[in-house]
Coordinates of all heavy atoms in Angstrom, one line a residue:
M232 N -36.9 5.1 -7.2 CA -37.3 5.7 -8.3 C -36.3 5.2 -9.5 O -35.1 5.0 -9.2 CB -37.3 7.3 -8.2 CG -38.5 7.9 -9.0 SD -38.5 9.6 -8.7 CE -39.2 10.1 -10.3
I233 N -36.8 5.2 -10.8 CA -35.9 4.8 -11.8 C -35.0 6.0 -12.3 O -35.4 7.1 -12.5 CB -36.8 4.4 -13.1 CG1 -37.8 3.3 -12.7 CG2 -36.0 3.9 -14.1 CD1 -37.2 1.9 -12.3
C234 N -33.7 5.5 -12.3 CA -32.8 6.6 -12.7 C -33.0 7.0 -14.2 O -33.3 6.2 -15.0 CB -31.3 5.9 -12.5 SG -30.0 7.1 -13.1
T235 N -32.7 8.4 -14.4 CA -32.8 8.8 -15.8 C -31.5 9.4 -16.2 O -31.5 10.1 -17.1 CB -34.0 9.8 -16.0 OG1 -33.9 10.8 -15.0 CG2 -35.3 9.1 -15.7
T236 N -30.4 9.3 -15.3 CA -29.2 10.0 -15.6 C -28.2 8.8 -16.0 O -28.4 8.2 -16.9 CB -28.6 10.8 -14.4 OG1 -28.5 9.9 -13.3 CG2 -29.6 11.8 -14.0
V237 N -27.1 8.7 -15.3 CA -26.0 7.8 -15.8 C -26.4 6.3 -15.8 O -25.8 5.5 -16.5 CB -24.6 8.1 -15.0 CG1 -24.1 9.5 -15.3 CG2 -24.9 7.9 -13.5
R238 N -27.2 6.0 -14.8 CA -27.6 4.6 -14.8 C -29.2 4.4 -15.2 O -29.9 3.7 -14.6 CB -27.4 3.9 -13.3 CG -25.9 4.0 -13.0 CD -25.6 3.2 -11.9 NE -26.6 3.1 -10.8 CZ -26.3 2.6 -9.6 NH1 -25.1 2.0 -9.4 NH2 -27.2 2.5 -8.6
N239 N -29.3 4.9 -16.3 CA -30.7 5.1 -16.9 C -31.5 3.7 -16.9 O -30.8 2.7 -17.4 CB -30.5 5.5 -18.3 CG -31.9 6.1 -18.9 OD1 -32.9 6.1 -18.1 ND2 -31.8 6.6 -20.1
G240 N -32.6 3.7 -16.3 CA -33.4 2.4 -16.3 C -33.3 1.7 -15.0 O -34.1 0.7 -14.7
N241 N -32.3 2.0 -14.1 CA -32.1 1.2 -12.9 C -32.9 1.9 -11.7 O -32.9 3.1 -11.6 CB -30.6 1.2 -12.6 CG -29.9 0.0 -13.0 OD1 -30.1 -0.4 -14.2 ND2 -29.2 -0.7 -12.2
E242 N -33.5 1.0 -10.9 CA -34.0 1.6 -9.7 C -33.0 2.1 -8.8 O -31.8 1.5 -8.6 CB -34.8 0.3 -9.1 CG -35.5 0.7 -7.7 CD -36.5 1.7 -7.9 OE1 -37.4 1.6 -8.9 OE2 -36.7 2.6 -6.9
C243 N -33.2 3.3 -8.1 CA -32.2 3.9 -7.3 C -32.8 4.7 -6.2 O -33.8 5.5 -6.5 CB -31.2 4.7 -8.2 SG -29.9 5.5 -7.1
V244 N -32.3 4.6 -4.9 CA -32.9 5.3 -3.8 C -32.6 6.9 -3.9 O -33.3 7.6 -3.3 CB -32.4 4.8 -2.5 CG1 -32.9 3.4 -2.2 CG2 -30.8 4.9 -2.4
F245 N -31.5 7.2 -4.7 CA -31.2 8.7 -4.8 C -31.9 9.4 -5.8 O -31.9 10.6 -5.9 CB -29.6 8.8 -5.0 CG -28.8 8.2 -3.9 CD1 -28.1 7.1 -4.0 CD2 -28.7 9.1 -2.7 CE1 -27.4 6.6 -3.0 CE2 -27.9 8.6 -1.7 CZ -27.2 7.4 -1.8
M246 N -32.6 8.6 -6.6 CA -33.5 9.3 -7.6 C -34.7 10.0 -7.1 O -35.5 9.4 -6.3 CB -33.8 8.3 -8.8 CG -34.1 8.9 -10.1 SD -32.8 9.8 -10.8 CE -33.5 11.0 -11.9
A247 N -34.9 11.2 -7.6 CA -36.1 11.9 -7.0 C -36.8 12.6 -8.2 O -36.2 12.6 -9.4 CB -35.7 13.0 -6.0
A248 N -38.0 13.1 -8.0 CA -38.8 13.7 -9.0 C -38.0 14.8 -9.7 O -38.1 15.0 -11.0 CB -40.1 14.1 -8.5
N249 N -37.2 15.5 -8.9 CA -36.5 16.6 -9.6 C -35.0 16.3 -9.9 O -34.2 17.2 -10.0 CB -36.5 17.9 -8.6 CG -36.0 17.5 -7.2 OD1 -35.8 16.4 -6.9 ND2 -35.8 18.6 -6.4
G250 N -34.8 15.0 -10.1 CA -33.5 14.5 -10.6 C -32.7 13.8 -9.5 O -33.3 13.5 -8.4
C251 N -31.5 13.5 -9.7 CA -30.7 12.7 -8.9 C -30.3 13.5 -7.7 O -29.8 14.6 -7.8 CB -29.4 12.1 -9.6 SG -28.3 11.2 -8.5
S252 N -30.5 13.0 -6.4 CA -30.2 13.7 -5.3 C -29.0 13.4 -4.7 O -28.5 13.9 -3.7 CB -31.3 13.5 -4.3 OG -31.3 12.1 -3.8
Y253 N -28.1 12.6 -5.4 CA -26.8 12.2 -4.9 C -25.9 13.3 -4.9 O -26.0 14.2 -6.0 CB -26.2 11.0 -5.5 CG -25.0 10.5 -4.8 CD1 -25.1 9.9 -3.5 CD2 -23.8 10.6 -5.4 CE1 -24.0 9.6 -2.8 CE2 -22.7 10.2 -4.7 CZ -22.7 9.7 -3.4 OH -21.6 9.4 -2.7
N254 N -24.9 13.4 -4.1 CA -23.8 14.5 -4.1 C -23.3 14.6 -5.6 O -22.7 13.7 -6.2 CB -22.7 14.0 -3.3 CG -21.5 14.9 -3.2 OD1 -21.6 16.1 -3.5 ND2 -20.4 14.4 -2.7
G255 N -23.5 15.7 -6.2 CA -23.0 16.1 -7.5 C -24.0 15.8 -8.6 O -23.9 16.1 -9.8
G256 N -25.2 15.2 -8.2 CA -26.3 15.0 -9.2 C -26.1 13.8 -10.0 O -27.0 13.6 -10.9
S257 N -25.2 12.9 -9.8 CA -25.1 11.6 -10.5 C -24.1 10.7 -9.9 O -23.4 11.1 -9.0 CB -24.7 11.9 -12.0 OG -23.3 12.2 -12.0
C258 N -24.2 9.4 -10.1 CA -23.3 8.4 -9.7 C -21.8 8.8 -10.2 O -21.7 9.3 -11.2 CB -23.6 7.1 -10.1 SG -25.0 6.4 -9.3
H259 N -20.9 8.3 -9.4 CA -19.4 8.5 -9.9 C -19.0 7.2 -10.5 O -19.4 6.1 -9.9 CB -18.6 8.8 -8.7 CG -19.0 10.2 -8.2 ND1 -18.2 11.3 -8.3 CD2 -20.1 10.6 -7.5 CE1 -19.0 12.4 -7.7 NE2 -20.0 11.9 -7.2
P260 N -18.3 7.1 -11.6 CA -17.8 5.9 -12.1 C -16.9 5.1 -11.3 O -16.3 5.7 -10.2 CB -17.0 6.3 -13.4 CG -16.7 7.8 -13.2 CD -17.7 8.4 -12.3
V261 N -16.7 3.9 -11.6 CA -15.8 3.0 -10.8 C -14.4 3.5 -11.0 O -13.9 4.2 -11.9 CB -15.9 1.5 -11.2 CG1 -17.2 0.9 -10.9 CG2 -15.5 1.3 -12.6
I262 N -13.6 3.1 -10.0 CA -12.1 3.4 -10.0 C -11.2 2.3 -10.4 O -11.8 1.2 -10.4 CB -11.6 4.2 -8.7 CG1 -11.8 3.2 -7.6 CG2 -12.4 5.5 -8.4 CD1 -11.2 3.7 -6.2
E263 N -10.0 2.4 -10.6 CA -9.1 1.4 -11.0 C -9.1 0.2 -9.9 O -9.1 -1.0 -10.4 CB -7.6 2.0 -11.0 CG -6.8 1.4 -12.0 CD -5.5 2.2 -12.1 OE1 -4.6 1.7 -11.5 OE2 -5.4 3.2 -13.0
K264 N -9.2 0.4 -8.6 CA -9.3 -0.6 -7.6 C -10.5 -1.5 -7.8 O -10.6 -2.6 -7.2 CB -9.2 0.0 -6.3 CG -7.8 0.5 -6.0 CD -7.9 1.2 -4.6 CE -6.7 1.9 -4.2 NZ -6.7 2.8 -3.1
C265 N -11.5 -1.0 -8.5 CA -12.6 -1.8 -8.7 C -12.6 -2.8 -9.8 O -13.4 -3.7 -10.0 CB -14.0 -0.9 -9.0 SG -14.3 0.3 -7.7
D266 N -11.5 -2.8 -10.6 CA -11.3 -3.8 -11.7 C -11.3 -5.2 -11.2 O -10.6 -5.6 -10.3 CB -9.9 -3.5 -12.4 CG -10.0 -2.3 -13.3 OD1 -10.9 -1.9 -13.6 OD2 -8.8 -2.0 -13.8
G267 N -12.2 -6.0 -11.8 CA -12.4 -7.4 -11.4 C -13.5 -7.6 -10.4 O -13.9 -8.8 -10.2
C268 N -14.1 -6.6 -9.8 CA -15.2 -6.7 -9.0 C -16.5 -7.1 -9.7 O -16.8 -6.5 -10.7 CB -15.5 -5.4 -8.2 SG -16.9 -5.5 -7.1
K269 N -17.2 -8.1 -9.2 CA -18.5 -8.4 -9.9 C -19.6 -7.6 -9.7 O -20.7 -7.7 -10.2 CB -18.9 -9.9 -9.4 CG -17.8 -10.8 -9.9 CD -18.6 -12.3 -9.6 CE -17.6 -13.4 -10.1 NZ -16.7 -13.8 -9.0
R270 N -19.5 -6.5 -8.9 CA -20.6 -5.6 -8.6 C -20.5 -4.4 -9.6 O -21.4 -3.5 -9.5 CB -20.5 -5.0 -7.2 CG -20.8 -6.1 -6.2 CD -21.0 -5.6 -4.8 NE -20.6 -6.5 -3.8 CZ -21.4 -7.5 -3.3 NH1 -22.6 -7.6 -3.7 NH2 -21.0 -8.2 -2.3
T271 N -19.7 -4.4 -10.5 CA -19.7 -3.3 -11.5 C -20.6 -3.6 -12.6 O -20.9 -4.8 -12.9 CB -18.2 -3.2 -12.2 OG1 -17.9 -4.4 -12.9 CG2 -17.2 -2.8 -11.2
S272 N -21.1 -2.6 -13.3 CA -22.1 -2.8 -14.4 C -21.8 -1.7 -15.4 O -21.6 -0.5 -15.2 CB -23.4 -2.7 -13.8 OG -24.4 -3.1 -14.8
E273 N -21.9 -2.1 -16.7 CA -21.6 -1.2 -17.8 C -22.9 -0.6 -18.3 O -23.9 -1.2 -18.6 CB -20.9 -2.0 -18.8 CG -20.0 -1.0 -19.6 CD -19.1 -1.7 -20.7 OE1 -18.8 -3.0 -20.4 OE2 -18.9 -1.1 -21.6
F274 N -22.9 0.7 -18.3 CA -24.0 1.5 -19.0 C -23.5 2.2 -20.1 O -22.3 2.3 -20.3 CB -24.6 2.4 -17.9 CG -25.2 1.7 -16.7 CD1 -24.4 1.3 -15.5 CD2 -26.5 1.4 -16.7 CE1 -24.9 0.7 -14.5 CE2 -27.1 0.7 -15.6 CZ -26.3 0.4 -14.6
E275 N -24.4 2.8 -20.7 CA -24.0 3.7 -22.0 C -23.1 4.8 -21.5 O -22.1 5.2 -22.2 CB -25.2 4.4 -22.5 CG -25.9 3.5 -23.5 CD -27.2 4.2 -24.2 OE1 -27.4 5.4 -24.1 OE2 -28.1 3.3 -24.6
S276 N -23.3 5.3 -20.3 CA -22.5 6.4 -19.7 C -21.3 6.0 -19.2 O -20.4 6.8 -18.7 CB -23.3 7.3 -18.8 OG -24.0 6.3 -17.9
G277 N -20.8 4.7 -19.0 CA -19.7 4.2 -18.4 C -19.9 3.1 -17.5 O -21.0 2.5 -17.5
V278 N -18.9 2.7 -16.8 CA -19.0 1.6 -15.9 C -19.2 2.1 -14.4 O -18.5 3.0 -13.9 CB -17.7 0.7 -15.8 CG1 -17.8 -0.4 -15.0 CG2 -17.4 0.3 -17.3
F279 N -20.2 1.6 -13.8 CA -20.6 2.1 -12.4 C -20.8 0.8 -11.5 O -20.9 -0.2 -11.9 CB -21.9 2.9 -12.5 CG -21.8 4.1 -13.3 CD1 -22.0 4.3 -14.6 CD2 -21.3 5.3 -12.6 CE1 -21.7 5.3 -15.3 CE2 -21.1 6.5 -13.4 CZ -21.3 6.5 -14.7
C280 N -20.7 1.2 -10.3 CA -20.9 0.2 -9.2 C -22.4 0.0 -9.0 O -23.1 1.1 -8.8 CB -20.1 0.7 -8.0 SG -20.5 -0.3 -6.5
V281 N -22.9 -1.2 -8.8 CA -24.3 -1.3 -8.7 C -24.7 -0.8 -7.2 O -25.6 -0.2 -7.1 CB -24.7 -2.8 -8.9 CG1 -26.1 -3.1 -8.5 CG2 -24.5 -3.1 -10.3
P282 N -24.1 -1.3 -6.1 CA -24.5 -0.9 -4.9 C -24.0 0.4 -4.3 O -24.6 1.0 -3.4 CB -24.1 -2.0 -3.8 CG -22.8 -2.6 -4.6 CD -23.1 -2.4 -6.1
C283 N -23.0 1.0 -5.0 CA -22.5 2.3 -4.4 C -22.4 3.4 -5.5 O -21.9 3.1 -6.4 CB -21.1 2.0 -3.8 SG -20.3 3.3 -3.3
P284 N -22.9 4.6 -5.0 CA -22.9 5.7 -6.1 C -21.5 6.4 -6.2 O -21.2 7.0 -7.1 CB -23.9 6.6 -5.5 CG -24.0 6.3 -4.1 CD -23.6 4.9 -3.8
E285 N -20.6 6.1 -5.1 CA -19.3 6.7 -5.2 C -18.2 5.8 -4.8 O -17.7 5.7 -3.7 CB -19.3 7.9 -4.2 CG -18.1 8.9 -4.5 CD -18.2 10.2 -3.9 OE1 -19.3 10.4 -3.2 OE2 -17.2 11.0 -3.9
P286 N -17.6 4.9 -5.8 CA -16.7 3.9 -5.4 C -15.5 4.4 -4.8 O -14.9 3.7 -3.8 CB -16.4 3.4 -6.8 CG -17.6 3.4 -7.6 CD -18.1 4.8 -7.2
S287 N -15.0 5.6 -5.1 CA -13.7 6.1 -4.5 C -13.9 6.2 -3.0 O -12.9 6.1 -2.2 CB -13.2 7.4 -5.1 OG -14.3 8.4 -5.0
A288 N -15.1 6.5 -2.5 CA -15.4 6.7 -1.2 C -15.2 5.4 -0.5 O -14.9 5.3 0.8 CB -16.8 7.3 -1.0
K289 N -15.6 4.3 -1.1 CA -15.5 2.9 -0.5 C -14.1 2.5 -0.3 O -13.8 1.6 0.5 CB -16.2 1.9 -1.4 CG -17.7 2.1 -1.6 CD -18.5 2.0 -0.3 CE -18.9 0.6 0.0 NZ -19.6 0.6 1.3
W290 N -13.2 3.1 -1.0 CA -11.8 2.7 -0.9 C -11.0 3.6 0.0 O -9.8 3.5 0.1 CB -11.2 2.6 -2.2 CG -11.7 1.3 -3.0 CD1 -12.7 1.3 -3.9 CD2 -11.2 0.1 -3.0 NE1 -12.9 0.0 -4.4 CE2 -11.9 -0.8 -3.9 CE3 -10.1 -0.5 -2.3 CZ2 -11.7 -2.1 -4.1 CZ3 -9.9 -1.9 -2.5 CH2 -10.6 -2.7 -3.4
K291 N -11.6 4.7 0.4 CA -10.9 5.7 1.2 C -10.1 5.2 2.5 O -9.1 5.5 2.6 CB -11.9 6.8 1.6 CG -11.3 8.2 1.4 CD -12.4 9.2 1.9 CE -12.8 10.0 0.8 NZ -13.9 10.9 1.3
N292 N -10.8 4.4 3.1 CA -10.2 3.8 4.3 C -9.9 2.3 4.2 O -10.4 1.5 5.0 CB -11.2 4.0 5.5 CG -11.5 5.5 5.7 OD1 -10.6 6.3 5.7 ND2 -12.8 5.8 5.9
G293 N -9.1 2.0 3.2 CA -8.8 0.5 3.0 C -9.6 -0.1 2.0 O -10.3 0.6 1.2
N294 N -9.7 -1.4 1.9 CA -10.4 -2.1 0.9 C -12.0 -2.0 1.1 O -12.4 -1.7 2.1 CB -10.2 -3.6 1.0 CG -8.8 -4.0 0.6 OD1 -8.1 -3.2 0.0 ND2 -8.4 -5.1 0.9
C295 N -12.6 -1.9 -0.2 CA -14.0 -1.8 -0.2 C -14.7 -2.9 0.5 O -14.3 -4.1 0.1 CB -14.4 -1.7 -1.6 SG -16.3 -1.8 -1.8
N296 N -15.7 -2.7 1.3 CA -16.2 -3.8 2.0 C -17.2 -4.7 1.3 O -17.6 -5.7 1.6 CB -16.9 -3.3 3.3 CG -18.0 -2.4 3.2 OD1 -18.0 -1.7 2.1 ND2 -19.0 -2.4 4.0
L297 N -17.5 -4.1 0.1 CA -18.4 -4.9 -0.7 C -17.8 -5.5 -2.0 O -18.4 -6.3 -2.8 CB -19.5 -3.9 -1.3 CG -20.4 -3.2 -0.3 CD1 -21.3 -2.1 -1.0 CD2 -21.2 -4.2 0.4
A298 N -16.5 -5.4 -2.2 CA -15.8 -5.9 -3.3 C -15.7 -7.4 -3.2 O -15.7 -8.1 -2.2 CB -14.3 -5.4 -3.1
T299 N -15.9 -7.9 -4.5 CA -16.0 -9.4 -4.6 C -14.6 -10.0 -5.0 O -14.4 -11.1 -5.0 CB -17.0 -9.8 -5.7 OG1 -16.6 -9.2 -7.0 CG2 -18.4 -9.4 -5.3
H300 N -13.8 -9.1 -5.3 CA -12.4 -9.6 -5.8 C -11.3 -9.4 -4.8 O -10.0 -9.7 -5.1 CB -11.9 -8.8 -7.2 CG -11.9 -7.3 -7.0 ND1 -12.9 -6.5 -6.3 CD2 -10.9 -6.5 -7.5 CE1 -12.5 -5.3 -6.4 NE2 -11.3 -5.2 -7.0
V301 N -11.5 -9.0 -3.6 CA -10.5 -8.8 -2.6 C -11.0 -9.6 -1.4 O -12.1 -9.6 -1.0 CB -10.1 -7.4 -2.2 CG1 -9.4 -6.8 -3.3 CG2 -11.2 -6.6 -1.8
S302 N -10.0 -10.2 -0.8 CA -10.4 -11.0 0.5 C -10.4 -9.9 1.7 O -9.5 -9.2 1.9 CB -9.2 -12.0 0.8 OG -9.5 -12.5 2.1
T303 N -11.6 -10.1 2.4 CA -11.7 -9.2 3.5 C -11.0 -9.7 4.9 O -11.1 -8.9 5.8 CB -13.2 -8.8 3.8 OG1 -13.9 -10.0 3.7 CG2 -13.6 -7.9 2.7
V304 N -10.6 -10.9 4.8 CA -10.0 -11.5 5.9 C -8.7 -11.0 6.1 O -7.8 -11.2 5.3 CB -10.0 -13.1 5.8 CG1 -9.4 -13.8 7.0 CG2 -11.4 -13.6 5.5
A305 N -8.5 -10.3 7.2 CA -7.1 -9.8 7.5 C -6.1 -10.9 7.7 O -6.5 -11.8 8.3 CB -7.2 -8.8 8.7
A306 N -4.9 -10.7 7.1 CA -3.9 -11.6 7.2 C -3.5 -11.7 8.7 O -3.2 -10.7 9.2 CB -2.7 -11.4 6.4
S307 N -3.5 -12.9 9.2 CA -3.2 -13.0 10.7 C -1.7 -12.8 10.8 O -0.9 -13.4 10.1 CB -3.7 -14.3 11.2 OG -2.9 -15.4 10.6
K308 N -1.4 -12.1 11.8 CA 0.0 -11.7 12.0 C 0.6 -12.8 12.9 O 0.1 -13.1 14.0 CB 0.2 -10.3 12.6 CG 0.0 -9.2 11.7 CD 0.3 -7.9 12.4 CE 0.0 -6.7 11.6 NZ -0.1 -5.5 12.4
K309 N 1.6 -13.5 12.3 CA 2.3 -14.6 13.0 C 3.4 -13.9 13.9 O 4.2 -13.2 13.3 CB 2.8 -15.6 12.2 CG 1.8 -16.6 11.8 CD 2.4 -17.8 11.0 CE 1.4 -18.8 10.7 NZ 1.9 -19.9 9.9
Q310 N 3.4 -14.1 15.1 CA 4.4 -13.5 15.9 C 5.8 -14.4 15.9 O 5.6 -15.6 16.0 CB 3.9 -13.5 17.4 CG 4.6 -12.3 18.1 CD 4.0 -12.1 19.5 OE1 3.0 -12.9 19.8 NE2 4.5 -11.2 20.2
K311 N 6.7 -13.8 15.6 CA 8.0 -14.5 15.5 C 8.5 -14.8 17.0 O 8.5 -14.0 17.8 CB 9.1 -13.6 14.8 CG 8.9 -13.8 13.3 CD 10.2 -13.1 12.7 CE 10.1 -13.3 11.2 NZ 11.2 -12.6 10.5
I312 N 8.9 -16.0 17.2 CA 9.4 -16.5 18.4 C 10.8 -16.6 18.4 O 11.4 -17.2 17.5 CB 8.7 -17.7 18.9 CG1 7.1 -17.7 19.0 CG2 9.2 -18.3 20.1 CD1 6.3 -18.9 19.2
N313 N 11.5 -15.9 19.3 CA 12.9 -16.0 19.3 C 13.2 -17.3 20.2 O 12.9 -17.4 21.4 CB 13.4 -14.8 20.1 CG 14.9 -14.7 20.2 OD1 15.6 -15.8 20.3 ND2 15.5 -13.5 20.2
P314 N 13.8 -18.3 19.5 CA 14.1 -19.6 20.3 C 15.0 -19.4 21.5 O 14.9 -20.2 22.4 CB 14.9 -20.3 19.0 CG 15.3 -19.4 18.0 CD 14.4 -18.2 18.1
I315 N 15.9 -18.5 21.3 CA 16.7 -18.3 22.7 C 15.9 -17.9 23.9 O 16.0 -18.3 25.0 CB 18.0 -17.3 22.4 CG1 18.7 -18.0 21.2 CG2 18.7 -17.1 23.6 CD1 19.8 -17.0 20.6
K316 N 15.2 -16.8 23.6 CA 14.3 -16.1 24.6 C 13.3 -17.3 25.1 O 13.0 -17.4 26.2 CB 13.6 -15.0 24.2 CG 14.5 -13.7 24.2 CD 13.6 -12.6 23.8 CE 14.5 -11.3 23.7 NZ 13.8 -10.2 23.3
A317 N 12.6 -18.0 24.2 CA 11.6 -19.0 24.4 C 12.2 -20.1 25.4 O 11.6 -20.5 26.3 CB 11.2 -19.6 23.2
S318 N 13.6 -20.5 25.1 CA 14.2 -21.6 26.0 C 14.4 -21.0 27.4 O 14.3 -21.7 28.4 CB 15.4 -22.1 25.2 OG 16.5 -21.1 25.3
K319 N 14.8 -19.7 27.5 CA 15.0 -19.1 28.7 C 13.8 -19.0 29.6 O 13.8 -19.2 30.8 CB 15.6 -17.7 28.6 CG 17.1 -17.8 28.3 CD 17.6 -16.3 28.2 CE 19.1 -16.3 27.7 NZ 19.5 -14.9 27.3
R320 N 12.7 -18.8 28.9 CA 11.4 -18.6 29.6 C 11.0 -19.9 30.1 O 10.2 -20.1 31.1 CB 10.3 -18.1 28.6 CG 10.0 -16.6 28.9 CD 9.0 -16.2 27.9 NE 9.5 -15.3 26.9 CZ 9.1 -15.4 25.6 NH1 8.4 -16.4 25.2 NH2 9.7 -14.5 24.8
G321 N 11.3 -20.9 29.5 CA 10.9 -22.3 29.7 C 11.5 -22.9 31.1 O 11.0 -23.8 31.7
H322 N 12.6 -22.1 31.5 CA 13.3 -22.7 32.8 C 13.1 -21.8 34.0 O 12.9 -20.7 33.9 CB 14.8 -22.8 32.4 CG 15.2 -23.8 31.4 ND1 15.0 -25.1 31.6 CD2 15.5 -23.7 30.1 CE1 15.3 -25.8 30.5 NE2 15.6 -24.8 29.6
Ligands
SF4_587 S1 -18.4 -3.0 -4.6 FE1 -16.6 -1.8 -4.1 S2 -15.0 -2.7 -5.4 FE2 -16.9 -3.4 -6.3 S3 -17.4 -2.0 -7.8 FE3 -18.4 -1.2 -6.0 S4 -17.0 0.2 -5.1 FE4 -15.8 -0.9 -6.6

């Protein structure tokens, strides 16, 4: 249904005949961590995330999985090799 609240005019799954059914009755604005993400969109009522109604929830357990401005590839941990131990292991 078409949103008539904060994202007025946008199609939204949470919109119902009796108003927004999302927690709190409307979308929550983007948070600081969303700065630079291409999924943000500016509306008269503020800046909101297009795919997610509550950006802070997306960042609760680490990086947002939909963010376009952060790499989701975890940095591979390089194991340090102790050269002395390595030489002992070799013999
Ligand atoms: S996709 Fe994630 S990082 Fe981007 S605006 Fe939405 S919540 Fe923020």
Side-chain angles (χ1 to χ4, degrees):
M232 216 173 151
I233 303 293
C234 177
T235 56
T236 61
V237 294
R238 297 200 317 194
N239 200 359
N241 264 48
E242 179 63 41
C243 181
V244 293
F245 293 107
M246 200 62 200
N249 56 350
C251 177
S252 63
Y253 190 69
N254 180 22
S257 72
C258 285
H259 297 250
V261 293
I262 60 169
E263 218 171 88
K264 288 174 179 168
C265 298
D266 279 356
C268 180
K269 290 194 178 92
R270 296 190 207 273
T271 60
S272 193
E273 209 173 332
F274 294 86
E275 272 175 26
S276 45
V278 181
F279 294 90
C280 171
V281 175
C283 174
E285 195 170 358
S287 58
K289 296 296 274 179
W290 288 92
K291 217 184 253 171
N292 302 314
N294 289 348
C295 169
N296 63 331
L297 299 172
T299 61
H300 60 315
V301 291
S302 169
T303 50
V304 180
S307 62
K308 280 183 192 169
K309 276 191 181 173
Q310 209 174 359
K311 276 191 180 173
I312 296 169
N313 183 328
I315 297 166
K316 282 183 181 173
S318 70
K319 281 180 186 168
R320 256 184 252 130
H322 296 289

